[in-house]
Amino acid sequence: MARGKLRIYLGAAPGVGKTYAMLSEAHRRVERGTDAVVAFVEHHGRPRTEVMLHGLEQIQRRELEYRDTVFTEMDVDAVLARRPAVALVDELAHTNVPGSRNGKRWQDVEELLEAGIHVISTVNIQHLESLGDVVESITGVRQRETVPDEIVRRADQIELVDMSPQAIRRRMAHGNIYQSDKVDAALSNYFRPGNLTALRELALLWVADRVDEYLQEYRAEHSIRSTWQARERIVVGLTGGPEGRTLIRRAARMAAKGSGSEVLAVYIARSDGLTSASPKELAVQRTLVEDLGGTFHHVIGDDIPSALLEFARGVNATQIVLGSSRRKAWQYIFGPGVGATVARDSGPDLDVHIVTHDEVAKGRGLPVARGARLGRTRIIAGWLVGVVGPVLLSLLLTSIANGPGLANDVLLFLFLTVVAALLGGQLPALASAAVGSLLLNFYFTPPTHTLTVSDPKNLVAIVIFFAVAVSVASVVDLAARRTHQAARLRAESEILSFLAGSVLRGETTLDALLERVRETFGMETVALLERAGDVEPWTCAGRAGTDHGTPLLRPEDADVDMPVGDHMALALTGRVLPAEDRRVLAAFAAQAAVVLDRQRLVGEAERARELAEGNRIRTALLAAVSHDLRTPLASIKASVTSLRSDDVAWSPEDEAELLAGIEAGADRLDHLVGNLLDMSRLQTGTVTPLIREIDLDEVVPMALGGVPEGSVTLDIPEELPIVAVDPGLLERSVANLVENAVKYSPDGVAVLVSASALGERVELRIADRGPGVPDSAKDRIFEPFQRYGDAPRGAGVGLGLAVARGFAEAMGGTLAAEDTPGGGMTMVLTLRAAPGRPPARPDLPAQATT
């Protein structure tokens, strides 16, 4: 069954018309033939809203009584049974009355959506959980009813219901929102113009962010790389030089001209780490851009213009701000420069601004070759082979009389060019081709020692040599790039495959995932940071690696930070990452957030289970107190009242009988209260066994004092090993087991208590001849407040077996139920034998009857 779709009308403040808009949409759908019903709509006495309910089918509400007052809530079962196509559910953040199916109305809505029912709902901006602190600081009112932001974000449609503060106040003054006796107080408090304006801005910004998310998702799904100028985003290209501050301030002034504009400063470093940027200057520029409301990004790319354009298009930027080049005039022989290249390749969708500054033409370091990824040693070797090699080869060939000939000379020079390309890449190979051509022309092409070529055939040979050399260099360089890209894509696919597998299996813990991130990217520290709100401090949800005495406290302190939603970020220290690595890092960050949510949900489920178990035990305890504990109290009170009566002269026999009844009732109360206290200790985990070595026959006979004489047969062999137990807990366990067995045994049939050794364990078996218990109920009888069938002499609240098993497990033993051969049930208590200790001689005979 497909999940239903959720449409939300988001209001900036109460009274803007969310419910009215929802009901209007319902009328439109009904007119089109859609099966739409009102599951829950609260008109709050507003006449116009109440009129809109006419003509719509309304589901009968469920009535609940709480604190002597009757409340009405949405009847989820009735809506599910009706199964309309569309259900209208007002006030998504509403808290249901205790006793309802769910604690929150948005949980009711989730059930309807899971059942395939489309839902139209309403919520105000102040009820979003992430904005609670902000709204309280603005209005002075703490919103107690909230809805998680994720619930609203997942809505298929979000429609903002907006109204100017003046219009809302007019509606309030006309009595269209609250009753007349509340209007003055509302206008002078919550509905002040400043409050309404701030709430309106919050709503507009929140919806704008959601629209931006939808736009990014759409562009990603449809592989749209061109810029859509829906919002001005200005990217500032920084080099780490002193001109960066001027560029940032200029971009900030440009952004201030348009509302909603963003400034993104980006510094692109080369992957080999060769850079002339000042870390101190970069830190100052980062602080400056953040103070001006922008964001700072640090990525790596060997091709600076391409990396800058890729980043700009990735964030859907509309403008790029660059500084005029600091290179001197002669340095332009190495290329046109980053600014000119970016302006040439930006296309019609990106505006490039070149800003002048005080550092123009003051010089900068030589550019690093694109082949720097090959390593400095290989590049130097390539240049030596490409430039020095042809010179040495020329000296060698000219020293040989009647050399190998021009054709062979060309092949030898071509060989050096190929070797230079393999070692150093394209530039050394091109240099080798140029040097080789000149040397071939000067030394080996008639007329020699001149640059003149007399024979056209030789000229063709030299041209072909140069063309082949350039082609080979290009092919070798292209092959190296493709090999590099293939290796990278293979590594990315393996990483993403690991992530997908971990998601399907649900095996990865947060610590393991963060350690995997640290190993994958070669970082020193990886931390998942989160905070409750925009103004709250960051806290660490998980960490891998070492901090070296400076723990990560903010994403800004890290070398790389990857945001995950609004209030979570993955922070890494150790080095900066290339731009292409951030794609994989984003997948890791999203998975880390999922793993953290899963761990917390598992913990919450466990706590909920414990709370549910505690509630069940408390409920059962109340039932026990109302019956099992009051029965002996009533018997004791009746006997005491009779003894104190002056109207009746009791005989000594009668008095003795009444006193015996009082004593029996007191014993029964003592037994019940003892079991309740024992169960309470087990539930709270405060049972601490004091293990010592002791013989079974020193403990078991003491546990038989509460049963009638002749009801138990004891069989403990002399050769039994000594057991390592807590004598007090063992006595209590055995007493409960024996009392339970005697209670269910037929009259005149004794319960057999026997013991035997089995390896390093000692088994104590309590066998009765009662009705027994079926296999399906053998585990259930050890749960608290469980009694199988009717106890013929049934005192107790069903805690005896639960306490016995709890004490047995606390001592490291086990307790299980088995069928007694010939009928009945046998309780098997397995205990640990004391290591290396011979059995002590028992004080009692092997068999005794009490």
Side-chain angles (χ1 to χ4, degrees):
M1 178 182 298
R3 177 181 169 89
K5 294 184 178 181
L6 175 61
R7 177 171 183 171
I8 293 179
Y9 286 92
L10 178 66
V16 296
K18 304 180 305 299
T19 305
Y20 190 92
M22 178 180 67
L23 294 174
S24 299
E25 175 64 20
H27 278 287
R28 286 193 293 269
R29 297 198 181 196
V30 170
E31 291 173 359
R32 295 196 301 263
T34 304
D35 181 19
V37 302
V38 176
F40 187 96
V41 168
E42 187 62 67
H43 55 75
H44 296 290
R46 299 166 187 169
R48 295 186 179 182
T49 304
E50 187 175 3
V51 169
M52 292 296 295
L53 287 170
H54 297 166
L56 296 176
E57 178 184 351
Q58 300 185 46
I59 302 295
Q60 184 69 30
R61 300 184 185 184
R62 181 185 178 191
E63 293 186 353
L64 295 170
E65 184 175 351
Y66 179 66
R67 293 182 178 178
D68 300 327
T69 304
V70 177
F71 297 88
T72 59
E73 295 286 1
M74 180 174 67
D75 194 336
V76 180
D77 292 327
V79 178
L80 293 174
R82 171 64 174 76
R83 293 197 60 80
V86 179
L88 275 63
V89 182
D90 203 6
E91 299 179 356
L92 186 63
H94 172 74
T95 301
N96 293 329
V97 175
S100 301
R101 183 189 188 97
N102 295 302
K104 289 284 190 176
R105 185 162 294 162
W106 62 263
Q107 295 172 328
D108 297 336
V109 169
E110 284 293 309
E111 285 197 40
L112 300 183
L113 295 173
E114 290 295 334
I117 301 173
H118 302 318
V119 176
I120 304 177
S121 188
T122 64
V123 69
N124 281 330
I125 190 67
Q126 69 264 25
H127 293 299
L128 294 182
E129 196 170 78
S130 65
L131 300 178
D133 296 336
V134 180
V135 173
E136 183 179 9
S137 65
I138 294 172
T139 65
V141 178
R142 181 67 180 181
Q143 300 295 328
R144 302 191 180 278
E145 292 188 330
T146 60
V147 59
D149 290 42
E150 184 62 25
I151 300 300
V152 182
R153 283 198 188 97
R154 289 205 308 262
D156 299 276
Q157 296 182 58
I158 300 176
E159 183 171 336
L160 177 65
V161 182
D162 187 26
M163 184 177 291
S164 67
Q166 294 78 10
I168 296 178
R169 288 174 60 84
R170 282 197 301 270
R171 292 195 64 197
M172 176 71 69
H174 294 160
N176 294 331
I177 300 177
Y178 293 153
Q179 298 296 328
S180 58
D181 58 340
K182 301 179 180 179
V183 170
D184 291 338
L187 289 175
S188 59
N189 290 284
Y190 192 87
F191 286 82
R192 294 196 302 268
N195 290 355
L196 296 177
T197 302
L199 292 174
R200 187 187 190 193
E201 183 179 14
L202 279 179
L204 290 171
L205 291 176
W206 195 91
V207 173
D209 288 340
R210 302 293 78 75
V211 171
D212 192 54
E213 288 181 4
Y214 298 150
L215 179 61
Q216 295 294 344
E217 292 175 2
Y218 180 86
R219 285 167 51 83
E221 291 173 359
H222 294 79
S223 302
I224 298 174
R225 301 289 296 167
S226 61
T227 301
W228 287 4
Q229 300 184 7
R231 177 193 288 188
E232 290 290 341
R233 287 187 175 87
I234 304 173
V235 171
V236 184
L238 302 177
T239 64
E243 76 281 1
R245 306 183 199 181
T246 302
L247 302 183
I248 292 171
R249 292 190 180 97
R250 178 62 180 273
R253 290 196 298 269
M254 295 169 59
K257 295 179 181 179
S259 178
S261 299
E262 298 179 29
V263 176
L264 300 90
V266 57
Y267 170 71
I268 300 177
R270 299 185 184 276
S271 61
D272 59 359
L274 300 176
T275 177
S276 59
S278 167
K280 182 178 180 180
E281 182 63 29
L282 282 177
V284 172
Q285 293 175 13
R286 178 172 190 159
T287 302
L288 176 61
V289 71
E290 291 176 350
D291 290 342
L292 294 175
T295 58
F296 184 91
H297 305 269
H298 195 165
V299 299
I300 289 182
D302 290 318
D303 190 339
I304 304 298
S306 298
L308 180 60
L309 288 172
E310 180 180 357
F311 175 84
R313 293 192 175 103
V315 298
N316 198 28
T318 58
Q319 301 181 55
I320 298 178
V321 175
L322 298 174
S324 297
S325 178
R326 288 185 285 125
R327 295 191 297 176
K328 294 183 180 295
W330 65 267
Q331 291 179 319
Y332 280 95
I333 63 175
F334 297 104
V338 173
T341 305
V342 170
R344 182 192 63 200
D345 298 337
S346 61
D349 54 351
L350 270 173
D351 296 334
V352 179
H353 303 268
I354 305 297
V355 179
T356 60
H357 50 84
D358 295 336
E359 303 296 323
V360 174
K362 289 188 177 181
R364 52 175 298 180
L366 293 176
V368 181
R370 289 169 56 186
R373 64 181 180 274
L374 298 175
R376 187 174 297 180
T377 303
R378 287 189 58 181
I379 293 175
I380 294 174
W383 280 102
L384 290 175
V385 172
V387 177
V388 180
V391 176
L392 297 177
L393 180 60
S394 298
L395 295 176
L396 176 63
L397 293 177
T398 54
S399 64
I400 301 175
N402 299 325
L406 181 60
N408 292 325
D409 294 339
V410 171
L411 291 177
L412 291 174
F413 278 95
L414 183 61
F415 172 76
L416 290 179
T417 301
V418 173
V419 173
L422 292 174
L423 290 175
Q426 189 174 22
L427 290 181
L430 294 177
S432 177
V435 173
S437 300
L438 293 174
L439 293 175
L440 280 172
N441 187 9
F442 191 83
Y443 288 104
F444 304 103
T445 304
T448 59
H449 301 96
T450 67
L451 296 178
T452 304
V453 180
S454 59
D455 190 349
K457 294 181 180 179
N458 295 336
L459 179 61
V460 172
I462 293 176
V463 171
I464 292 176
F465 160 76
F466 186 82
V468 171
V470 172
S471 300
V472 169
S474 301
V475 170
V476 171
D477 185 73
L478 181 61
R481 294 185 192 178
R482 294 293 183 264
T483 302
H484 177 76
Q485 292 174 358
R488 179 172 190 84
L489 291 175
R490 182 172 63 251
E492 288 187 7
S493 64
E494 292 175 356
I495 293 171
L496 295 177
S497 175
F498 161 79
L499 279 177
S502 66
V503 172
L504 294 175
R505 295 188 301 270
E507 298 174 348
T508 304
T509 62
L510 181 60
D511 292 339
L513 181 63
L514 295 180
E515 182 63 26
R516 174 79 180 200
V517 174
R518 192 186 69 81
E519 295 175 356
T520 299
F521 297 100
M523 308 302 287
E524 294 180 358
T525 306
V526 178
L528 184 63
L529 306 177
E530 64 174 352
R531 59 181 177 180
D534 294 332
V535 298
E536 298 294 328
W538 291 93
T539 59
C540 181
R543 185 185 303 275
T546 57
D547 292 326
H548 300 293
T550 56
L552 280 175
L553 300 178
R554 301 182 306 163
E556 295 81 6
D557 299 332
D559 295 321
V560 181
D561 62 283
M562 176 58 66
V564 188
D566 294 333
H567 303 124
M568 189 176 293
L570 191 65
L572 302 88
T573 60
R575 65 185 181 93
V576 292
L577 292 180
E580 56 267 28
D581 277 349
R582 294 179 70 87
R583 295 193 301 268
V584 180
L585 182 61
F588 270 112
Q591 176 64 6
V594 171
V595 170
L596 179 62
D597 288 342
R598 184 189 301 125
Q599 288 183 355
R600 288 176 173 173
L601 288 174
V602 169
E604 290 176 2
E606 180 63 23
R607 289 191 293 272
R609 188 194 64 79
E610 294 175 357
L611 289 175
E613 180 67 15
N615 288 334
R616 189 183 66 82
I617 292 176
R618 282 191 290 271
T619 301
L621 176 60
L622 291 175
V625 169
S626 64
H627 178 267
D628 294 278
L629 295 181
R630 293 177 66 180
T631 300
L633 283 174
S635 175
I636 293 173
K637 182 173 179 61
S639 299
V640 171
T641 301
S642 299
L643 289 173
R644 295 186 62 185
S645 175
D646 298 330
D647 300 331
V648 180
W650 300 103
S651 64
E653 293 79 12
D654 293 334
E655 290 182 355
E657 184 177 353
L658 291 173
L659 290 174
I662 293 173
E663 184 179 10
D667 291 340
R668 182 177 175 185
L669 277 177
D670 180 68
H671 179 75
L672 293 176
V673 171
N675 275 337
L676 289 172
L677 293 176
D678 291 339
M679 197 66 226
S680 175
R681 292 168 59 200
L682 289 171
Q683 289 290 330
T684 56
T686 58
V687 175
T688 304
L690 301 176
I691 304 297
R692 66 185 183 90
E693 299 175 358
I694 194 171
D695 284 325
L696 275 182
D697 53 14
E698 294 182 22
V699 180
V700 175
M702 299 174 60
L704 307 181
V707 296
E709 294 185 4
S711 61
V712 177
T713 300
L714 188 63
D715 181 11
I716 301 180
E718 296 182 3
E719 63 273 11
L720 275 182
I722 294 175
V723 293
V725 296
D726 182 316
L729 299 184
L730 177 60
E731 178 184 349
R732 189 73 174 168
S733 298
V734 174
N736 285 347
L737 294 175
V738 170
E739 290 175 7
N740 185 76
V742 170
K743 179 172 60 178
Y744 284 96
S745 289
D747 293 335
V749 179
V751 172
L752 175 62
V753 178
S754 60
S756 60
L758 183 62
E760 297 180 353
R761 315 290 289 181
V762 174
E763 286 187 352
L764 185 67
R765 309 175 74 89
I766 298 95
D768 64 58
R769 293 293 180 179
V773 174
D775 294 337
S776 60
K778 281 187 171 63
D779 286 333
R780 194 167 64 249
I781 61 175
F782 292 103
E783 297 178 3
F785 306 105
Q786 295 291 324
R787 289 185 292 182
Y788 181 77
D790 296 328
R793 295 182 293 276
V797 293
L799 286 176
L801 296 183
V803 170
R805 171 174 275 189
F807 284 169
E809 292 176 349
M811 295 183 294
T814 60
L815 178 61
E818 297 178 356
D819 292 330
T820 302
M825 186 174 63
T826 300
M827 292 292 176
V828 182
L829 178 61
T830 305
L831 306 170
R832 293 181 300 169
R837 290 294 303 274
R841 184 175 183 83
D843 298 329
L844 298 178
Q847 292 187 354
T849 301
T850 62

